[in-house]
Structure formats: structure tokens, C-alpha cells
Amino acid sequence: MHVLNITQSLLGQAWRWRALEVDARAGVSGDDLVTQLLLARGAPRDALADHRAPSIRAFMPDPSIFRDMDRAAERLAAAVIAGEQVAVFGDYDVDGATSAALMIRLLRALGLRPVAYIPDRLMEGYGPSGAALVRLAREGASLIVTVDCGAQAFDALEMARGEGVDVVVVDHHQCAPALPAAYALVNPNRLDEAEGAAHGHLAAVGVAFLLGAALLRTLRARGFFVDRAEPRLIELLDIVALGTVADVAALRGLNRAFVAQGLKVMAARRNIGLAALIEAARLTRDPSCTDLGFALGPRINAGGRVGQADLGVRLLTTDDPAEARAIAAELDRLNEERRAIEAAVQAEAEARLTSGAVALVAGEGWHPGVIGIVAGRLKEKLGRPAIVIAVDEAGIGKGSGRSVPGVDLGAAVLAAKQAGLLVAGGGHAMAAGLTVAADQIAALSAFLEERLAEGVARATAERALLVDTLVAPRGVTPALVEALEAGGPYGMGWPAPRVAAGPVRVVKADVVGQGHVRAILAGDDGASVKGVAFRQADSALGQALLGAPRDRRLWVAGRARIDDWSGRASAELHVEDAAWAG
């Protein structure tokens, strides 16, 4: 059923009711607003209480359901009891940094002094190299734990085995039918995974948390805590929440519990590094789920993108307030530098776009640290998968891709690797990374076009703006925002509620910041609402807001948010689409 009979909006999409799109349950309209929101996102009616207040207890599986989990926990427990040297090999993005930080903080609490190794994005690339693992072994590590990487590291793990060092892989990226030579490989996306496959949407930091729980259980069974305090794993949920949201993991089930409870832990600011980062991001209130994705996550990422790769892990594991403030300030500075680099690459990438199911663009000299962000921007703007490839002087391209719902980009990239088109590649449904020779980029583009064209066409045809509720302009209030937030936390897979409002006239509109359109929208009910359409100045939506005649009215749809910059809380609408009324 179309909302307000809108079948073609300014951005070319129909508006539909989310509840009817997901499940036409009888009686939904008679429920309270929060119940409607939960049901529309797939919560079973008989489990509404668990979804209304998601807890770890309600959604935590037995870690033993995952293949190799018990073997990994036993090996880690042996290392703890024997006081072995353990190295944690992470990745340079937020999920890698948080996964490594969780393992390091837990192992420290258990009496070890683990070392962290984060590869340099430019010099070493993604994932463990054989040289790095061999070096860690020769420096004394008898056990290496790779987090957020390793599922495709066949050669590197074989070299580590040759050195006699055990490697436990903790990952969530898609796996090939064959697995590398790890002592244990814990990954819900193993093709031979059984019950654990239901948790394939976990970020790596979530998998690391489950391994932490299995490790503590193993040590408890061995009497390790008879004369010492057991670490409170729950106190690391702030790190888990940050990695889960920043990695755009689907906020369903356990992930949603991780974030809901992790935000509570974060509000207490026990982690000195996170507290410093919150201050550097100029957040004066308790962080929200949105802040994790748009304020804190990008700053952690900035170290790996344009700065020093290990800054994020160092920040999240330090207990020195002065060091925390210094690292947070440096990450804040690097984030600003990243913004400038990103804008330049995006402008060049947009100039090279061609038609097709997959927007694949490549350029020499582009900074590989921002290509993932640019791919995400292009995906949002075009409504189709996007891959951005930075080609270096040696003719090797580093690529990063982002996809749309219903199109599994990670599987396609893995297939391209198996077809011999890539040097390396992998990922998950919504994001992927790859390494490709410059002379193979055209063949890669053709391969992906043929493989994904049908899925992209289907996703495009089914594209619609899903709306949760319709209000008059006067109804866009802080009370409405509070009611909507009660169904959170929201994110990928558990989308934030969308409000349709109107009809409204555009009283005033102008361009602010980086192509944002700010508007004052007046309703027939005498109320006015502030609206902001982010990065829409050049789109049909932005142009309509900027040029709307005073005597023509619009329906607008978007996210209702609290605007507290003036010191007095009021509600505003983050406009995502609009349609002419009448």
C-alpha cells in the first residue's frame, strides 16, 4: 500500500508503509507506536519484551555452537595458564581495532602482556602477511590471534605453521570452501558452519566477545579463578558496540543487544581512551548509536586511513589519561585531513562514472585510505553497488566496495578471485575489499556486471522509501522523537523510523556546509519545522527545496531528530525524500 498515493517521488521512488512491506500482520495498526515499530522490523509478537529492551542474556548463544570455538578457547586458556607470549594481529579499521582491543584488554586482565600488531594500510595491505607472522613468532610469540582478518590468509598461515607458532583466526568475512592452516578458525561465515551460521551478521568484535566468553568459561572450569577475580567481560561492551555499529553490521538479535548494553557502558566512560575520543568529538551528552557511526567510528578509522595504523588500538587499550588525550587529538586532526582527501577523490570518481549495474571507477594516485568512504557515498547517491579502486605506481589497484540490500557484493568479489581476476579479495554482503592488477580492471568490471546485473535490477525495481508513521508538521516534536527512539537502537538491519509529514510550503531554503540544504517548512496547521537534506544540493530533492514556489506544497519524509545545538532541544526533520502534494 502506497503512503499518500505516492508512486513516484522527487527521487523516483514509491513510498510504502514499512509494516505492510515486512509483514501484513492483522491488528498492527491497533498497537502502540513502539510495538508497531518492533513488529515492522521483524520482532516476533511473542518476544516483544526481549526486543523492546534487548539484553545479552536474552540473545547470547552458547559459544560452543561455533566450529573451532572450544578448540580456540582451550588454546587461549593454555596460554593464559602457562603465561605464554600472545600476539594479537588486527586490522586497521574500527572493527579490527575494537576486536584487537577487546582481546588485549581481556588477556591483560588475565595476567598476560599481549602485543598488538596492526598492519600499515599502504605498506602491508589488508590481513596477515607471512613476513609479519614469522616476525612475531621469532620475537617470542607462541600464539597469534588474528581478528577481523585471516580467513583468506592461506600463504601467511602456512608460513606461520612452518615457524611452529599456533594461529587462532577470529573473523567474520566470507570464506572459501577450503580453509587456511589455522590452529582454530572461528567464523560464523564458514561454509561448513551449522547452527552458528545464524550469527553470520556479527562483526568480528562480536565474534571476539563470544570467544572471550568461551575462554572465561574454560578457565573457570579449570579452577583458574579460585584465588583471583574473574574479569567482567560485560565491561568491554562499549568497545563491542563501537565496532559493531562502525562496521555497519546488521543490528538484529545479539548485535542489537551488544549496542543497547554497550551504549550504557560507554555512558559511564570507564574506558579512558573512549572518554578522550568522546571529548575530542565534542560530544557533551551520552553517545548515541548515530554518534558511534558518524562521530567516533570515523575518528578511529582515520588512523588507519591517513595516519598511523595502530592509533585506534593504542587509544582503546591505554590506561594513561594524558596518552589518551594526545591520541584522541591526533585522530581528530587526521579525521579532518581525511575529509579533505575524501572530497577530492569523490569529485574525481564522480567525473569518471559510467552507466551499468555496478559503479566501478579507478584512478591513479587516489589515496587508498578513503576509497571505502567514497564507495559508500557513490552507492548512496546512485542506489547501486559501487567500487572505487586506487591504482599505485606499480600498476596495482586497491579497491573497496559497498553494496545495496539484496546484492551480495562479498560473494561476487570472492567469485572474481576464484576466477583469477584478483590478486586478493573478500568481504561480506554489503562491503568488500580487493586487490587487482590495473590491466584486469576492465575484465573485473565486466565480470561483476554480468554476475550482479540481474540482482541490481531486481533491487532497483523493488526500491521504495519505507515509512513508519504520518504526522502533521505540528507533530514533529521532541516527544515524537523520544517515542520513536524507544524502539532502538537502530542501524543496519534495524532501520531508524521514517516519518512522513505535510503538506508543507518551503518558507526559506539555502545551501549550508558540504552541499546540505537547510529549509524552513510551514504546514497548513500553522506549525513550522526545520528540515535538513544532507548532501542533496545537486539532486532533484535539493533543487525542489531550493526552488519551490511559495504557493506549491510538498510532502516530506525523513528521520525526526533532536536539534540541541542551540541549547534548547527542539525537533527537526532530516529530509530524505519529498513529493509534490496535489
Side-chain angles (χ1 to χ4, degrees):
M1 180 186 296
H2 292 110
V3 177
L4 301 167
N5 294 318
I6 295 171
T7 57
Q8 186 82 358
S9 69
L10 288 171
L11 292 181
Q13 56 191 339
W15 291 9
R16 296 195 182 102
W17 293 111
R18 191 188 308 274
L20 295 178
E21 188 76 11
V22 175
D23 185 353
R25 292 179 177 84
V28 168
S29 60
D31 292 312
D32 67 272
L33 179 58
V34 177
T35 297
Q36 290 182 45
L37 295 174
L38 296 175
L39 291 173
R41 281 151 185 77
R45 189 176 285 276
D46 60 1
L48 285 175
D50 287 342
H51 288 273
R52 192 180 291 259
S55 66
I56 304 300
R57 181 184 297 273
F59 291 100
M60 180 87 166
D62 181 347
S64 294
I65 67 172
F66 297 91
R67 291 193 180 275
D68 276 6
M69 179 68 82
D70 290 341
R71 181 172 170 83
E74 291 283 350
R75 181 64 186 88
L76 274 167
V80 168
I81 292 170
E84 294 181 47
Q85 177 63 66
V86 177
V88 179
F89 191 109
D91 185 31
Y92 36 67
D93 71 357
V94 184
D95 193 18
T98 52
S99 301
L102 184 145
M103 293 304 305
I104 289 167
R105 294 190 75 94
L106 178 59
L107 292 174
R108 281 182 186 171
L110 292 169
L112 298 187
R113 300 182 65 182
V115 298
Y117 189 101
I118 306 296
D120 182 271
R121 182 189 292 263
L122 299 181
M123 302 302 294
E124 299 177 83
Y126 168 77
S129 66
L133 298 185
V134 168
R135 183 163 66 252
L136 289 170
R138 293 179 179 177
E139 290 174 353
S142 55
L143 173 62
I144 300 173
V145 182
T146 73
V147 289
D148 196 30
C149 58
Q152 296 288 326
F154 292 91
D155 293 341
L157 267 63
E158 196 62 53
M159 290 178 66
R161 172 182 280 184
E163 288 293 313
V165 63
D166 292 333
V167 179
V168 169
V169 174
V170 181
D171 205 352
H172 70 134
H173 295 100
Q174 291 184 344
C175 296
L179 296 175
Y183 182 89
L185 196 155
V186 184
N187 184 339
N189 288 305
R190 286 175 53 152
L191 296 183
D192 62 347
E193 189 58 82
E195 190 178 350
H199 299 275
H201 59 291
L202 291 177
V205 70
V207 182
F209 182 90
L210 292 173
L211 176 56
L215 169 60
L216 293 180
R217 182 174 64 184
T218 302
L219 289 171
R220 196 181 307 125
R222 294 190 180 187
F224 186 75
F225 300 117
V226 170
D227 57 356
R228 72 186 74 199
E230 181 173 334
R232 287 177 52 81
L233 191 62
I234 208 82
E235 293 180 356
L236 298 178
L237 281 175
D238 49 0
I239 296 176
V240 180
L242 176 58
T244 298
V245 173
D247 206 53
V248 202
L251 294 195
R252 295 184 282 107
L254 181 58
N255 276 348
R256 210 162 145 261
F258 280 153
V259 176
Q261 300 306 317
L263 286 171
K264 295 178 183 177
V265 175
M266 194 177 294
R269 306 199 181 190
R270 295 189 185 96
N271 185 299
I272 291 172
L274 265 179
L277 191 66
I278 292 168
E279 183 178 346
R282 293 166 287 283
L283 294 176
T284 57
R285 48 175 170 70
D286 292 340
S288 66
C289 193
T290 300
D291 295 325
L292 302 188
F294 292 97
L296 303 183
R299 285 171 169 79
I300 294 286
N301 259 335
R305 293 189 188 281
V306 298
Q308 191 174 333
D310 66 349
L311 286 176
V313 172
R314 286 171 52 198
L315 178 73
L316 296 174
T317 56
T318 185
D319 292 320
D320 182 342
E323 181 185 26
R325 286 191 297 271
I327 296 175
E330 175 65 1
L331 288 172
D332 189 54
R333 184 192 68 78
L334 290 170
N335 192 50
E336 291 302 315
E337 181 180 331
R338 184 269 306 167
R339 289 174 187 266
I341 297 171
E342 172 198 328
V345 172
Q346 183 170 345
E348 290 188 38
E350 290 186 0
R352 303 185 186 193
L353 285 171
T354 59
S355 60
V358 179
L360 190 150
V361 289
E364 295 181 359
W366 289 352
H367 197 300
V370 302
I371 55 176
I373 302 174
V374 174
R377 300 276 192 228
L378 294 180
K379 182 263 294 188
E380 290 296 329
K381 186 171 185 176
L382 302 171
R384 53 192 169 108
I387 297 175
V388 179
I389 301 174
V391 181
D392 63 19
E393 295 177 351
I396 298 297
K398 298 289 186 180
S400 186
R402 299 292 183 269
S403 194
V404 296
V407 180
D408 191 335
L409 186 60
V413 167
L414 192 58
K417 179 187 175 186
Q418 292 168 344
L421 296 174
L422 301 177
V423 177
H428 45 81
M430 298 298 289
L434 57 89
T435 302
V436 59
D439 60 7
Q440 289 279 20
I441 291 176
L444 171 65
S445 180
F447 178 89
L448 294 175
E449 194 71 22
E450 180 178 357
R451 182 181 176 93
L452 297 178
E454 184 178 338
V456 172
R458 185 167 53 250
T460 301
E462 296 171 353
R463 181 169 170 252
L465 191 83
L466 301 183
V467 175
D468 290 279
T469 188
L470 173 65
V471 298
R474 191 178 298 279
V476 182
T477 64
L480 173 67
V481 176
E482 183 179 349
L484 295 173
E485 288 301 313
Y490 299 106
M492 176 62 66
W494 196 269
R498 188 174 285 115
V499 173
V504 296
R505 290 177 295 105
V506 181
V507 175
K508 178 183 178 182
D510 57 359
V511 179
V512 296
Q514 301 296 314
H516 312 314
V517 177
R518 178 180 57 188
I520 301 299
L521 310 171
D524 293 346
D525 59 357
S528 62
V529 177
K530 176 184 173 183
V532 183
F534 292 100
R535 295 183 294 276
Q536 293 289 340
D538 296 329
S539 73
L541 170 60
Q543 290 299 301
L545 292 173
L546 291 166
R550 287 291 187 93
D551 61 348
R552 196 166 185 195
R553 301 181 303 165
L554 287 158
W555 293 103
V556 292
R559 318 288 188 182
R561 292 286 188 262
I562 295 295
D563 176 16
D564 53 10
W565 287 103
S566 63
R568 183 172 58 86
S570 60
E572 64 182 19
L573 195 65
H574 292 181
V575 181
E576 297 174 303
D577 201 359
W580 295 111

